[in-house]
Amino acid sequence: MVFRGFDAAKLTALAGDLDTLAGQSGRLHTQLASVLTSAQQNLPAGQNASRDPDLQDLVGDVIPMPSFFGGRRRLPGSLGGELGDMQSSMKRRIKQLEGAQELADRGYPVSDSSIFLDEKPADGKKVDDALRHLQELQGKDFGTNGNRDDLEKVSGELDGLTAAEMDALVSKASPKDLAFYNQLVSCTDDSGWNPFDENGLPEDKRRATLGGMLSKISPENFGKFQAAFPGMQPDVTNTGAWEQGGNNQNGQTNNGIHWQTPTDPLFVDGVSADDVNQRQFGDCWYVASLAGLAQKDPKFLQEGIKQNPNGTVSVRVWDKDGNYQWVTMTPDLPTDKNGSPITTYGSGESWPAYYEKAFAIAYSDDGDGERGYGGVEGDDPKKSAPYLTGKEGEDLTTGGFLGIGEHEDKSLDGLKKAFDSGKVVTVSTPADEKLDKDHPQEWGNTYCTNHAYYVRGFTADGKVILGNPWGTSGYPPITVSQEQFNKYFGGAEAFDVP
């Protein structure tokens, strides 16, 4: 079989040759070690049989121990394991190549990226069955109990497809079939004549199925997938950055917004609060919480994001009902016409942008109005905690953690107590624009009204050090006394670190 220029028979023969060579490596190891040992014995003291340290290590290793006893960890004895692993990988990929040929024979488009995937070989019948069941949803009578059981059956089939199988299905399915499936799984309302039926899929199950589909398809199908499942890409046209051309608080502007995939990696040197730089979206309440969490538990955030083999990115979030899930998204981000990011970003690293994008996707399902990036602009910082950690946030200035009954009582001692106990603490400024001009000069442009900050620490004399989620570059942390806090800041919130 020759498929796309790859000859399966010749590749199989090559894998067999590698397997034979692997079996001979132990004898070669012994022979070479014997020659080097003999040479060493006949050389004057202080001279080595070889100038190569790897070969010199073979002296005396005439009867090498097997690798599982700690031996043969160097060439040529180690070739047994290395060549064995290589030929095993080749044989798996040859099977995948044969599965790709079967898909093509059944009339499925096969992406080049699917040909040598290191996964189970594609099963054309599984794709046939899943596609047929997807198409049969059109015009189906779901009975008196709703459509959830039918949808769970289909989603179970989809979850079980390999990447090559999933890509073939999405390639062959019509946009109408995919869009109708999205319509069914997204609508969980009861029918008018039976209030007890079950329809659609709960958000966490829906997100798992759709995210699994997106994480497996080839990049060539991203556009088709997003058109059928628009909820997988957050809206950007309802933001101030789109409507007003920028962020009127920090003065950043853009000359037009479009989607573009960054070339920066997720991480450069782990996670730090200093990586978080809010740009043109007005979601400081979320970004301040993200920066505060990055300061308190960077490992938690780093473990909560991953890049999939097809380039998509998955971020761990919790939904409004406290359900844990991974939100999977395409790698493109909102940028201006010059390709500069307008979303929350790091210094040469992109992880904050994907956390923000995942939040815009998940929060759009909150049922409180707008969707996407516009839906996360302007809210209470404590509302971000359940999405970041699955834990509820609390108001420190209305009797929560501090036991204080009056909103005006904003004790820095109480903030410090919460911060020292391990909580992420955020504070907000009032919507009083007069304070933008009437604040301590040393704060510079770091201070802004109607804005959220996160606590970075405290001075020895009890003052609080606040970080601006706009980033430390150009907006250094400010130190605030109790008197200043009472005048220039309003509420304070906190949430537990996982």
Side-chain angles (χ1 to χ4, degrees), residues 9 16 47 49 53 83 92 94 131 139 158 173 180 194 212 225 275 279 301 308 313 315 371 424 445 451 460 462:
Q47 292 189 24
L83 293 176
R92 290 195 306 271
I94 291 167
L131 180 60
L158 296 177
F180 186 67
N194 184 0
F225 187 89
D275 299 336
R279 302 210 175 184
L301 286 177
N308 302 307
V313 178
V315 173
R371 297 172 58 86
V424 174
N445 59 359
H451 192 44

Side-chain angles (χ1 to χ4, degrees), residues 120-391:
K120 292 190 303 182
D123 183 339
K125 184 178 184 304
K126 286 177 61 179
V127 185
D128 286 345
D129 291 342
L131 180 60
R132 185 178 71 256
H133 294 151
L134 182 70
Q135 293 170 336
E136 287 174 350
L137 294 173
Q138 293 272 6
K140 184 177 177 62
D141 181 3
F142 296 107
T144 59
N145 64 341
N147 60 24
R148 181 164 298 174
D149 53 347
D150 298 271
L151 295 176
E152 287 177 338
K153 179 180 178 180
V154 172
S155 69
E157 283 186 292
L158 296 177
D159 293 344
L161 296 181
T162 66
E165 292 164 350
M166 180 64 73
D167 193 58
L169 180 142
V170 172
S171 296
K172 191 66 175 290
S174 71
K176 181 180 178 182
D177 289 333
L178 295 174
F180 186 67
Y181 179 63
N182 178 64
Q183 177 184 337
L184 292 178
V185 298
S186 301
C187 181
T188 56
D189 294 338
D190 294 324
S191 61
W193 54 274
N194 184 0
F196 303 107
D197 56 5
E198 291 185 308
N199 291 296
L201 293 178
E203 183 191 342
D204 56 334
K205 293 183 179 179
R206 179 173 74 249
R207 187 75 60 199
T209 293
L210 298 185
M213 293 174 68
L214 181 56
S215 70
K216 295 176 182 178
I217 62 176
S218 63
E220 294 89 340
N221 274 323
F222 285 172
K224 181 178 183 180
F225 187 89
Q226 287 181 336
F229 305 97
M232 302 296 284
Q233 182 83 318
D235 186 14
V236 72
T237 63
N238 55 358
T239 62
W242 179 277
E243 297 170 352
Q244 303 162 20
N247 185 328
N248 58 15
Q249 284 189 310
N250 60 23
Q252 292 193 22
T253 60
N254 65 77
N255 57 358
I257 299 176
H258 74 290
W259 291 88
Q260 183 173 319
T261 300
T263 57
D264 294 322
L266 289 180
F267 306 103
V268 173
D269 187 21
V271 166
S272 165
D274 292 339
D275 299 336
V276 181
N277 300 277
Q278 180 199 356
R279 302 210 175 184
Q280 296 189 28
F281 296 140
D283 56 350
C284 60
W285 62 285
Y286 169 76
V287 182
S289 298
L290 181 67
L293 184 56
Q295 176 183 243
K296 287 288 189 178
D297 196 344
K299 182 180 179 182
F300 176 78
L301 286 177
Q302 188 160 357
E303 291 175 346
I305 184 171
K306 58 186 179 181
Q307 194 149 30
N308 302 307
N310 67 346
T312 57
V313 178
S314 298
V315 173
R316 177 183 55 197
V317 300
W318 284 257
D319 63 23
K320 63 182 183 298
D321 299 319
N323 297 312
Y324 164 89
Q325 59 189 258
W326 287 87
V327 171
T328 300
M329 67 205 90
T330 53
D332 50 346
L333 296 168
T335 68
D336 67 12
K337 287 185 177 179
N338 299 321
S340 299
I342 67 165
T343 183
T344 297
Y345 214 77
S347 300
E349 51 197 320
S350 57
W351 73 263
Y354 291 114
Y355 262 94
E356 184 181 47
K357 184 177 180 181
F359 181 61
I361 293 172
Y363 199 69
S364 68
D365 284 335
D366 193 55
D368 290 340
E370 287 189 284
R371 297 172 58 86
Y373 285 106
V376 301
E377 291 193 310
D379 215 323
D380 189 338
K382 69 180 179 183
K383 286 188 177 181
S384 61
Y387 290 86
L388 280 169
T389 67
K391 301 176 182 293

Side-chain angles (χ1 to χ4, degrees), residues 1 8 12 93-103 121-122:
M1 182 202 76
T12 301
R93 293 168 190 266
I94 291 167
K95 291 293 185 182
Q96 174 66 12
L97 181 68
E98 293 170 345
Q101 174 70 73
E102 180 193 351
L103 291 177

